[in-house]
Amino acid sequence: MLFNSIEFLLFFSAFFFLYWFVLKKNLRTQNALLLIASYVFYGWWDWRFLFLLIFSTGLDFFVGLKIYQAEKVRTKKWWLWFSIIVNLCFLGFFKYYNFFVLSFTDAFSSVGIHLTPWLLHIVLPVGISFYTFHGLSYVIDIYRGNCKPTTSWVNYCVFVSYFPLLVAGPIERATHLLPQIEKPRTFEYERAMQGMRLILWGLFKKIAIADALAPAVNDIFQHHNQYPGGVLILGAIYFAFQIYGDFSGYSDMARGISKLLGIELLLNFNFPYLSQSIPEFWKRWHISLSSWFRDYLYFPLGGSRTTIWKAIRNVFIIFLVSGFWHGANFTFIVWGGIHALLFIPSFIKRKSKANIPQIASSKNSSVFLQFIRILGTFVIVTIGWIFFRSDSVTSAIDFIKRMFYHPTDFVFLNPYNNLPMVKENILIALFWLAELLISHKEISLKLWNYKLVSISTITVIVFLILTAIHLDSKQAFIYFQF
């Protein structure tokens, strides 16, 4: 069930009515309804994977209680590792089994030994990477003493399977989301209006930006050997905005829907394409995942409070694991490795923490120098996205090489009707300028307070969404596959 579908509109309308107008005075039944709705939402994709979700939820609920009740540290640690191993085994089996088997057989084939592997022919359970990390953060936080386990099975199930974020995040923490689930919620008009604006902006990002660019991106990446360098450069830029519009659009809609339900979700994107360095980019992009790896992997490995070489090792581990988390392909590992190499220089100089806020708001830098930094960071990130989008490392390298063949030859080609993609190019420029304006909260809030500005903005966005909708070609969210 897609957020940008008629099915979800009908589903959420019925749910919203029951949630606020029928059950608002009873928290237990309200949460029970939330759980049922979440399971219906998830089961809409494939009801068989509900059993996997319920098993994972039950495992971590039980383990959380066992860790809290255990008196010996050794027992607590045993239960912790039991949860980690079982969860990662399920994630590895469904997501990485074929990758490891094929890599194993390829290694034997290179020395003349040919094996016939047994592969899985099943669809990857939607959202398994996200809800697995929800459960792991819960048991780890209990083990560390950061939170106490909930005794309510329903409340914990809602935390793990909360439908606005179930299939593509943000990755929530029990310390942030569970307290909101466990206390009564009231409908607030201002919060609801904020939620509606977030949903509208998210729909614009998804439909008018990401979905509009998807056909051209698919065509250029699939047939990159048939286009001049200028078109490949354009295709790489298109994908950079496609994945950002798609993923941040989902996150905006998830946060907006959640605000309508009286619950606040973590901010997942903070204008990443306005970053002036790679370290700053990773403070703005997929924030919930970056902070998850920082807190639950980087710090346990020793973080930066160790020798410089071990700290560099830890950084590489984080980026490589982050890349591999996205998918079972060497392209994601290379993508993570590229960002690790780009991150290391700032890390070595100890600027990754101390200088990022200064870079972002430096009064000493001219607007021109800030723009050059933003542009340079965007170019580097976009080159990295080529590996993320390509089917293989070889294909990505060939794509980059061909970008230098006739790089000034641009063909603004729409694969459907061979018309220039002028509209899409103008929208990208306006979208980036809008992000720049919105990032300056004081200015954007002052402008928004003028009714003419707010009404005109909403009207234009709605118009652009409606003109971009193609009912016969709805695009699933990219991060559903992760």
Side-chain angles (χ1 to χ4, degrees), residues 326-346:
H326 283 86
N329 195 318
F330 283 110
T331 54
F332 298 112
I333 298 175
V334 172
W335 172 74
I338 289 171
H339 277 275
L341 290 171
L342 294 169
F343 188 91
I344 287 298
S346 295

Side-chain angles (χ1 to χ4, degrees), residues 413-429:
L413 195 65
N414 186 318
Y416 284 129
N417 51 27
N418 295 330
L419 292 175
M421 296 185 66
V422 176
K423 175 186 173 183
E424 286 76 6
N425 296 319
I426 293 174
L427 274 180
I428 287 176

